[in-house]
């Protein structure tokens, strides 16, 4: 395996990301696959300090949020463009939506557990027990949220594409030929998944927040937001380590809860979804490795290679 790739599920598609390029692919209602490839530069490459351990996690998360936002915007507009009655979302509309979503995420998964734990403080004395209870509430809220959204048909299809992304990357990392049939035999769970990262964040937060007192309700709320970069930095290093050392038994034990959580955020894809994921991966590989890997690569005699 020459390169390391990651990805993200989109609306009826998949984004695959390498070191310098990301490819976004989606299937239209008429069955065609459309794609777009973008070049990017990581913040850690622009500024060396952003690549330091425990610092790089924060800026890696920021890079992922920006690239993810672009990819979701692209797939949303591709979907809307197919419907003549719908207008494409403007960058401002997308930015407002993402800002609101991020704010609601912090409110739901970080501040609401604080409120619940604070009001039950007389029943759960002690700083560590309070933070442990708060962490358990946080995990419970997150699990409930995932269970509820999996009931939505549109989200279910996104989770299927999430599974297609993982299976395709597993297939590539195993050195097998990238075909939907080969990819379908692989696991839909992957150690470098963002879902695992979120679980690690929730686990690490219990220990980090234990350093903060629970007497002041206002400070307790503020600390959950202020300390998020610290938690993200530590969690990134843990995820990075686990991803590189899954051959060790004790590492698999640490990674197991986050891997199992992916059973909620991924679903078994069909072969057509795997085809889109492979198409996207081959598109980004064509930019980072060899142009001939492009599924639409045109040879010198004018012939086009259509299959992934």
């Amino acid at each position: 395996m020459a390169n390391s790739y990651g990805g993200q599920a989109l609306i009826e598609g998949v984004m695959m990301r390498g070191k310098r390029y990301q490819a976004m692919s989606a299937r239209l209602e008429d069955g065609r696959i459309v794609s777009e490839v973008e070049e990017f530069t990581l913040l850690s490459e622009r500024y060396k300090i952003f690549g330091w351990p425990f610092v790089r996690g924060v800026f890696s998360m920021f890079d992922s949020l920006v690239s993810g936002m672009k990819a979701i915007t692209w797939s949303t507009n591709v979907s809307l463009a197919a419907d003549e009655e719908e207008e494409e979302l403007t960058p401002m509309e997308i930015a407002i939506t993402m800002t609101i979503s991020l704010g609601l995420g912090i409110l739901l998964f970080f501040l609401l557990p604080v409120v619940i734990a604070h009001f039950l403080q007389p029943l759960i004395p002690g700083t560590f027990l309070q933070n442990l209870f708060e962490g358990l509430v946080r995990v419970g809220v997150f699990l409930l949220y995932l269970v509820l959204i999996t009931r939505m048909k549109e989200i279910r299809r996104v989770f299927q594409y999430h599974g297609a992304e993982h299976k395709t990357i597993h297939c590539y990392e195993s050195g097998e030929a990238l075909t939907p049939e080969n990819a379908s035999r692989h696991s839909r769970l992957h150690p470098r998944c963002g879902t695992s990262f979120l679980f690690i964040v929730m686990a690490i937060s219990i220990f980090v927040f234990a350093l903060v007192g629970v007497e002041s309700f206002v400070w307790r709320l503020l600390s959950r937001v202020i300390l998020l970069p610290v938690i993200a930095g530590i969690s990134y290093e843990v995820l990075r380590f686990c991803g590189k050392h899954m051959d060790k038994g004790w590492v698999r034990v640490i990674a197991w809860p986050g891997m199992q959580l992916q059973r909620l955020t991924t679903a078994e894809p069909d072969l057509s979804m795997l085809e889109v994921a492979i198409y996207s991966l081959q598109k980004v590989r064509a930019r980072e490795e060899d142009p001939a890997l492009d599924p639409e690569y045109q040879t010198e005699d004018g012939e086009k290679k259509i299959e992934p």
Side-chain angles (χ1 to χ4, degrees), residues 31-90:
R32 291 183 297 120
I33 299 176
V34 294
S35 185
E36 184 174 320
V37 181
E38 292 183 343
E39 185 176 9
F40 64 86
T41 302
L42 296 173
L43 286 170
S44 58
E45 294 180 356
R46 296 178 186 175
Y47 309 100
K48 289 185 178 180
I49 190 175
F50 292 165
W52 291 0
F54 299 102
V55 175
R56 59 191 173 191
V58 178
F59 295 98
S60 177
M61 185 174 64
F62 178 80
D63 280 326
S64 296
L65 284 173
V66 172
S67 64
M69 183 188 302
K70 288 182 179 179
I72 292 173
T73 300
W74 178 85
S75 66
T76 301
N77 285 334
V78 164
S79 177
L80 292 176
D83 189 341
E84 296 180 355
E85 297 181 0
E86 298 285 348
E87 294 184 1
E88 293 187 3
L89 297 175
T90 65

Side-chain angles (χ1 to χ4, degrees), residues 94-109 145:
I94 292 293
I96 292 173
T97 301
M98 294 300 293
T99 300
I100 293 175
S101 299
L102 184 60
L104 288 175
I106 293 174
L107 178 65
L108 184 63
F109 302 124
Y145 169 79

Side-chain angles (χ1 to χ4, degrees), residues 80-138:
L80 292 176
D83 189 341
E84 296 180 355
E85 297 181 0
E86 298 285 348
E87 294 184 1
E88 293 187 3
L89 297 175
T90 65
M92 180 59 71
E93 290 172 331
I94 292 293
I96 292 173
T97 301
M98 294 300 293
T99 300
I100 293 175
S101 299
L102 184 60
L104 288 175
I106 293 174
L107 178 65
L108 184 63
F109 302 124
F110 284 91
L111 301 186
L112 178 61
V114 171
V115 174
I116 294 174
H118 182 77
F119 280 101
L120 293 177
Q121 191 170 356
L123 302 177
I124 309 171
T127 299
F128 180 77
L129 288 179
Q130 268 284 302
N131 282 291
L132 178 61
F133 177 71
E134 179 189 326
L136 293 175
V137 171
R138 184 171 294 112

Side-chain angles (χ1 to χ4, degrees), residues 19-36:
K19 291 183 177 181
R20 295 189 178 279
Y21 294 90
Q22 68 176 31
M24 303 162 289
S25 301
R27 189 179 292 280
L28 302 179
E29 291 185 359
D30 60 10
R32 291 183 297 120
I33 299 176
V34 294
S35 185
E36 184 174 320

